[in-house]
Amino acid sequence: MIDYSLKKLVQLVITTFGVVTLVFFTLRLIPGDAASAMAGDTLSGDALEALREQMGLNEPLFRQYLDYLSSLARFDLGETITTRIPISELLLKAVPITMTIAVSTIVLTVLIAIPLGTLAAFMAHKGRKTLDNFLTGTAMILDLMPSFWTALVFLLLFSLTLGWFPASGMVSWDDPWALMQRIALPVLVLSVTQVATMARITRTSVLEILSEDYVRTARSMGWSELRVLFRHALKNAALPIVTVIGLSFGNLLNGTVIVEFIFTVPGVGNLLITGINSRDYQMVQTLIVFYALLFVTINFATDLVYRSLDPRVKF
Amino acid sequence: MFKLNRRQFGSLLGATALVGAGQPVLAQDGKTLTIRFYDDPAGYDPANIFRIENENLAFNIFSGLTTYDSQTGEIIPDLATSWETTDNKTWTFNLRKGVQWQEGYGEFTAEDVIYSYSRILDPETASPYAGEFAGLVAMEAPDPYTLIIELDSPNGSFLHSVANYHQGQIVKKEAIEAAGDQVRWQPVGTGPYYMDFIDVNSQIILKRHDDYYQGPAPIETLVFNIIKDEATATIALRNGEVDLVMRSNREENLQTLMAEGFKMNTVDNYAVAVKVFNTEFEPFADARVRKAIAHAIDYDTITQALSPSLQQGYHSLLMPWMPVYTPDVARYPYDVEAAKALLAQAGYPDGFSFKHLGTSAQGVTELQQFEIDFLSKVGVAMEMDLVDTPTFNQRRNAGEFEMATRLLPAINPDMILANYLHPDNKVPGGLNGARYDNPEVTDLMAAAKAEPDPEKAKALYVQLQQIVMDDLPYLPTYANNVFWPGKQSVIGVQPNYLAQVNFWEVDVTTS
């Protein structure tokens, strides 16, 4: 286990270095820089050059790279290029918000999708196709709805027509109830897609297990259908489901980018969009490193969960 | 980032004392207006401020020597009560007495102006707006309320350079020094509102500057909530989460809000979008081809179909509200036959094809689909060359296109004319993407700028506009209107010709 963790740690450093280097140079390959993004329609010539000088964009590229590496090694994330705000400050505010949304979404998704998928599998196994078809059909439709569209429909329905949740406003930790209301819509929108995927995977894996011999044995021992379904079938079907949960966490981080924009949630996704639009290299680099670290961590956690679910899994 | 300064603390004590004495708090106190802000704030240092939404806040925090009338766009006194010049070269400004800085920085004097302009010109500041003061050779303050500015050449539009906009906004030396490298987040001015709180990802709060020289504004607190998505902003207004939407620019949202009885608060003909012809691209080198393109596309019909509230077909580089504008220029009404005839004369009887630079973010817009369709009727094939936005900006600035669009919002006609038409501003390095170089026009621009007599200057501007519209290096397509939809109870919202609202004029009625 310790060997494994060490190995992972070394991998982590190598991965991060690779990501940092790749991101640093590819970002600069994209034409246009922070100065021209800022200048937009009205500036050019000398004025633009002055701006570039001020932003430190005229330094030799390799020198910028070395500076960046050395500050990163000192855990100094630097400042945004256009607005001179410490990036660590921005991250400290944005990460908890995005994480709250992502974790809430996963919890909600698991609570809905797993019983739903298991039920669908059970129905399919029993030959009661109507409910199964309905469930898988709905899941498919939900899965195919793009989140920006779902977001707008939910806004119109839940915010404007029903008036249950606000469409805008501060996201503040001072008032937990207001915070929940504020992030309810983003969480719902993100859950819709996730529920569909997870319910489908659950259904498939459970259905497969249901025709296994040991399930028949369990039934023949006179245990209730529910117990057979959840204690035996679902537990043995758990590995692919856990994989999907891990993966969907990654998907969620993609999803939050759009949803955070529409609902103006000041999370990591919003920072990323701002950074890309304003060609703020420093910000985008840092955020991508952050995402990379997060993915590595999630994979690590998934591995650990695998092992506790199935002791046969070796690292 | 909440801060309570001495003055605020003082007024807090004062308020407590008033309540203690059993007197009613001023009836106008405590009013709050919640406004949609559409992007992340990017800082409020006049030396390097950019983007209209940020400029709008700075407009309310700072003052210039002059400012703009919200209704007419006319230059009116601000920190200067009057000014004189006989030759457009030496300008004498009489400054207002008793103007108080925000945050307890004392009284405004001529020294503050000299400091502000010197700061813009200082290479250390690296202000992109330093060019506006390039001709400034001397500044002198014989007394605290008189300022004499000497320019190296006559400049009739100098009053625009000293207006409450960008480089013209007066800052306080002590406040700039106190803020250090955080100047952009700690603006201190003499305007009607001061910066109270910023959370760069969600909210900005401005508070009333009680000692403002025109008297305190009716509303005490302005809360700007960042809502980036247009549809969300519309819903937030309909839900009552915001009172006012800064710049709503989708036709469908405007139609919804109009139908529901919201107040639209608009300004017409804010700026004109032009097609930039690269005259180094062979077909566009011929004026007849440029005129044929102008005749071939019917912008009245297109805007009527796509966005009747937001845009209308337009015919000039200058806007109708500018004092030097003339309607008396060559126009190119929709006429397929005329377009075909001009193309044939120019040697393109079967048309030609060209590439139009655009952004992949927008894709081929509905407007461009119309343009492609209209042009195909005269045999001209317009292809879209789509790149991402910063690439687009870079290529457009470098002049690497056959045709591009540009929208240059400005209140100063000289700025539009010089940028588009002066050979010194040719791409790369300037905005003259047409590579226009007509010595007659260049001379007229200089002469018009030097002419102190407004009547005579206007005559020169008229002549200039007529020549340019005959040459047609740029095709004016449509003019934009600006909308700030809000609740009926919000009164006095009048976007000016910089698309900014002066919040000192805004109030909320309780009925």
Side-chain angles (χ1 to χ4, degrees), chain A residues 31 38 41-45 47 54 82-85 90 93 159-160 166-168 170 262 264 266 270 274 279, chain B residues 40 50 125 128 182 184-185 199-203 226-228 232 238-239 241 388 390 396 406-408 429-430:
Chain A
M38 180 168 151
D41 242 14
T42 41
L43 287 184
S44 66
Q54 193 194 32
T82 20
T83 50
R84 295 281 159 223
I85 303 171
L90 292 174
K93 272 200 244 167
S159 186
L160 189 66
S168 68
M170 274 291 260
I262 293 181
T264 328
N270 223 332
T274 312
R279 284 287 190 276
Chain B
D40 288 335
F50 67 107
T125 314
Q182 293 296 305
R184 71 182 72 225
W185 299 116
D199 181 309
V200 287
N201 294 312
S202 53
Q203 198 171 68
I226 300 171
I227 305 175
K228 296 184 181 176
T232 313
R238 294 165 76 192
N239 258 354
E241 292 167 29
D388 73 315
R396 197 170 54 158
R406 201 176 264 285
L407 181 91
L408 186 57

Side-chain angles (χ1 to χ4, degrees), chain A residues 101-120:
Chain A
I101 291 179
V103 172
S104 312
T105 306
I106 291 285
V107 170
L108 189 67
T109 305
V110 166
L111 287 180
I112 298 172
I114 290 186
L116 206 65
T118 314
L119 193 66

Side-chain angles (χ1 to χ4, degrees), chain B residues 204-256:
Chain B
I204 306 158
I205 298 176
L206 298 190
K207 286 271 190 186
R208 177 172 62 205
H209 172 40
D210 287 318
D211 299 326
Y212 181 53
Y213 74 83
Q214 294 194 66
I219 297 172
E220 187 182 10
T221 311
L222 302 175
V223 178
F224 293 87
N225 276 342
I226 300 171
I227 305 175
K228 296 184 181 176
D229 188 74
E230 286 291 328
T232 313
T234 309
I235 289 173
L237 178 61
R238 294 165 76 192
N239 258 354
E241 292 167 29
V242 297
D243 304 312
L244 186 64
V245 171
M246 177 188 274
R247 298 202 71 179
S248 183
N249 55 19
R250 293 264 170 77
E251 187 69 32
E252 67 270 23
N253 296 336
L254 293 173
Q255 296 295 345
T256 307

